[in-house]
Each structure stands twice: as C-alpha cells, then as structure tokens.
C-alpha cells in the first residue's frame, strides 16, 4: 500500500481563504477588524522568523497585526504590564506571547496573565480546563490543525483507536482531549511507554509529537492507519548541510499507512492558519456574534 499524502499546505491555503472571507464579512456587516497582538522578547532567530510569518499572514487575511518586539533584558514586570495593556485594548482580540521566553521570566505567570478570551494560543488554564470539560475553549493551534486534517480525511472518528505520542501541554495533551471529544479510544504514549511499537501498531490514528527525528518506525504502523506527524527536526546531512525530518520515518510509514502528512508541508502550515482562525473566533465571541459563514 502507498499512502495518500495529506497536503497541509493546500489545506492551510483553503482555510486562510475562508478566514479572509470571514474577515471581509466582519468588516462589512459588523464594522469589526479582528486584531492580533504578537509579543516577542529577545532575539531568538527561530522565534523571529515565526513572528514575521505570523505578522505577514495576519495582514494578508485582512486583520490588524500589532507586533511588540522587546529587548532580551525586559523584566517580567514590564512584560506583564504590556499584557495588561493589550488585555484592555479593544482593538486587540488575540494575544500571543512567543515562547520560549528568556530564563528570568516565568512563562506560566505570563500565560496566566493573558485574558482567557484573548488567549489565541489556548495555553491559559481556563482554556485547557474548558477543553477538558467539553466547553467553548480556544484550542491550541497545532492540535486544532491536526484535528481539522483528520476530520477532513476520516469524517466520523467514533470508536477509532488513536495514539498520541508525546505529552506536552502545547500539543500532546490537548490533541488527546480533542480525539476523546471525537469519541476515539485514546492512548497517550511518551518516552517511558513500554513497548511503543506495539502501542503504535494498534492505532487507526497516530499523532506523533515527540520532537525526536524519525523515532516512529514505518514498520510499526498498522496498514491503512492515518498518520499525522507534528515533528520538525533539523538533522545533519553528509554534505555538512541539514534537512528537516518529522518524528515518523516517512518513506517506510507511507508504504503501510492509508494517509500521512509530510514534513515539511503537513502540520506546519496549518498552525498559522489556525492562529488566524482562533483570532476570528475570539473577535466574534468578544462581540457576542456568530462566526460568519463563507
Ligand atoms: N513557540 C513555538 N510555537 C509556539 C506557539 O504555537 N505559540 C507560542 N506562543 N510560542 C511558540
């Protein structure tokens, strides 16, 4: 069997087109221009690239983008003061503080300070609690992107065996909650899991989010399974350059899976699209209106 390749780039482009349409309706009918504030502290090069891409995508969708670039030595107090200002700014519907933060700043204190209604990352305990109890949460962007691709591919997932490999607050745990809400039988596997090949081998749905290059071997995959690879790992090549691989051994897994996301071009592009989606959702909820249908 050779798997269908799930084209995350094309899926994300369609989603962004839809969001652009929603934004146009919000402007025309409700006089609302959703606004996203992105805060970055310090000069981490990878974070700077993410923030630049977020800014560009936000503007392309017709939304307002407010970028706050703070120096590495910014105090926690000053960062919290900025978050407070953004919480109270009606033009700002979504707030994202780029992680990781410099070591002298307590990340949890900053995430806790963001208004849950504007927490478009979905990292606030109120949002994780709402997700866990089946409420109207803002869902973290990466797992939301994975869910949308799974729903598109599989439709009803009720009763399917789903294995999430990885237990981070950003991906693994919320992903497991989302799959549980879809009535899957969910297993969360991680670095201490005994007999990982057997656990993965039972799964109709595998979501790999461990951050270890090609740790999930192709011959573990159940024939016909749907495989979502969240990993983005840079590995050295023989010529001294590097290449990006996922957490799944792609070519071998594609021999057995029914469908699989590539790296790059799978989950990655969906994450920013879902950030824009969450910003529209947040703006509509704050205004007390339904999300426009495009
Ligand atoms: N750093 C890497 N990914 C993310 C993300 O999704 N949100 C935030 N806030 N920081 C990140």
């Amino acid at each position: 069997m050779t798997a269908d390749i799930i084209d995350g780039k094309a899926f994300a482009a369609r989603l962004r087109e839809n969001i652009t349409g929603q934004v146009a309706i919000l402007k025309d009918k409700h006089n609302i221009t959703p606004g996203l504030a992105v805060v970055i502290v310090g000069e981490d090069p990878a974070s700077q690239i993410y923030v630049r891409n977020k800014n560009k995508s936000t503007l392309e969708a017709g939304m307002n983008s407010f970028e706050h670039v703070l120096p590495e030595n910014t105090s926690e107090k000053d960062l919290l003061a900025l978050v407070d200002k953004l919480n109270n700014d009606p033009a700002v519907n979504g707030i994202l503080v780029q992680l990781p933060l410099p070591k002298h700043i307590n990340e949890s204190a900053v995430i806790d300070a963001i208004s849950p209604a504007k927490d478009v990352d979905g990292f606030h305990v109120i949002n994780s609690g709402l997700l866990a109890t089946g409420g109207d949460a803002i869902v973290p962007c990466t797992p939301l992107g994975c869910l949308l691709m799974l729903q598109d591919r599989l439709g009803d997932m009720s009763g399917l065996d789903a294995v999430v490999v990885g237990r981070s607050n950003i991906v693994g745990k919320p992903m497991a909650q989302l799959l549980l809400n879809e009535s899957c039988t969910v297993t969360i596997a991680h670095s201490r899991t005994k007999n990982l090949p057997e656990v993965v081998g039972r799964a109709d749905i595998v979501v790999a989010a461990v951050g270890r290059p090609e740790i999930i071997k192709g011959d573990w995959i159940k024939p016909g399974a749907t495989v979502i690879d969240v990993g983005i790992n840079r590995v050295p090549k023989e010529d001294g350059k590097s290449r990006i691989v996922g957490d799944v051994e792609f070519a071998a897994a594609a021999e057995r899976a029914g469908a699989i996301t590539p790296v790059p071009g799978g989950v990655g592009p969906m994450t920013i699209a879902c950030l824009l989606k969450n910003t529209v959702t947040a703006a509509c909820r704050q205004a007390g209106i339904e999300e426009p249908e495009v």
Side-chain angles (χ1 to χ4, degrees):
M1 177 185 292
T2 304
D4 293 334
I5 308 299
I6 301 174
D7 185 345
K9 207 169 156 193
F11 198 116
R14 288 197 298 277
L15 182 55
R16 282 164 54 169
E17 212 169 287
N18 189 279
I19 293 162
T20 306
Q22 287 184 304
V23 171
I25 294 171
L26 287 173
K27 284 184 184 178
D28 276 2
K29 297 229 169 88
H30 302 278
N31 202 21
I32 294 171
T33 304
L36 172 65
V38 176
V39 181
I40 176 171
V41 184
E43 271 127 45
D44 177 55
S47 293
Q48 285 182 329
I49 294 171
Y50 290 141
V51 169
R52 213 173 305 137
N53 287 339
K54 283 167 188 164
N55 180 42
K56 183 166 163 274
S57 307
T58 307
L59 295 174
E60 276 172 10
M63 296 193 252
N64 288 328
S65 173
F66 308 99
E67 212 180 305
H68 295 266
V69 183
L70 307 180
E72 178 85 22
N73 63 1
T74 299
S75 68
E76 184 175 311
K77 185 162 165 272
D78 285 352
L79 180 56
L80 290 172
L82 173 60
V83 168
D84 187 53
K85 192 169 138 233
L86 298 172
N87 281 340
N88 290 300
D89 183 344
V92 173
N93 303 108
I95 302 169
L96 180 145
V97 178
Q98 185 69 29
L99 304 179
L101 287 167
K103 293 214 166 31
H104 65 276
I105 298 178
N106 178 345
E107 277 184 5
S108 311
V110 175
I111 293 168
D112 284 352
I114 296 170
S115 161
K118 295 190 178 185
D119 167 38
V120 284
D121 260 328
F123 293 168
H124 195 287
V125 284
I126 294 277
N127 281 313
S128 49
L130 285 169
L131 179 60
T133 53
D136 260 346
I138 300 182
V139 177
C141 304
T142 299
L144 179 57
C146 296
L147 178 74
L148 295 177
M149 289 193 288
L150 285 168
Q151 284 173 331
D152 183 64
R153 169 78 195 177
L154 297 170
D156 182 11
M157 286 176 255
S158 176
L160 295 182
D161 279 313
V163 172
V164 179
V165 190
R167 53 175 156 175
S168 70
N169 290 337
I170 295 180
V171 185
K173 286 182 205 163
M175 188 73 238
Q177 291 290 351
L178 289 168
L179 291 164
L180 191 57
N181 291 348
E182 294 293 314
S183 302
C184 292
T185 303
V186 182
T187 303
I188 306 178
H190 47 78
S191 57
R192 302 286 178 91
T193 296
K194 279 188 277 182
N195 210 350
L196 188 59
E198 187 190 296
V199 173
V200 169
R202 285 201 297 268
D204 303 303
I205 296 168
V206 179
V207 180
V210 252
R212 301 266 193 90
E214 298 178 326
I215 193 170
I216 313 282
K217 301 302 172 200
D219 62 5
W220 299 357
I221 303 297
K222 177 173 162 177
T226 304
V227 179
I228 306 289
D229 191 348
V230 181
I232 301 175
N233 309 290
R234 191 174 284 280
V235 295
K237 286 198 301 187
E238 278 168 14
D239 62 5
K241 294 185 183 158
S242 64
R243 66 192 177 104
I244 302 287
V245 300
D247 291 350
V248 180
E249 204 185 27
F250 179 79
E255 289 295 313
R256 293 170 67 88
I260 186 167
T261 59
V263 178
V267 175
M270 288 297 286
T271 298
I272 286 191
C274 287
L275 174 66
L276 304 179
K277 180 174 163 62
N278 280 349
T279 305
V280 168
T281 301
C284 292
R285 287 186 191 165
Q286 285 158 37
I289 58 174
E290 294 283 319
E291 275 187 54
E293 298 268 351
V294 176

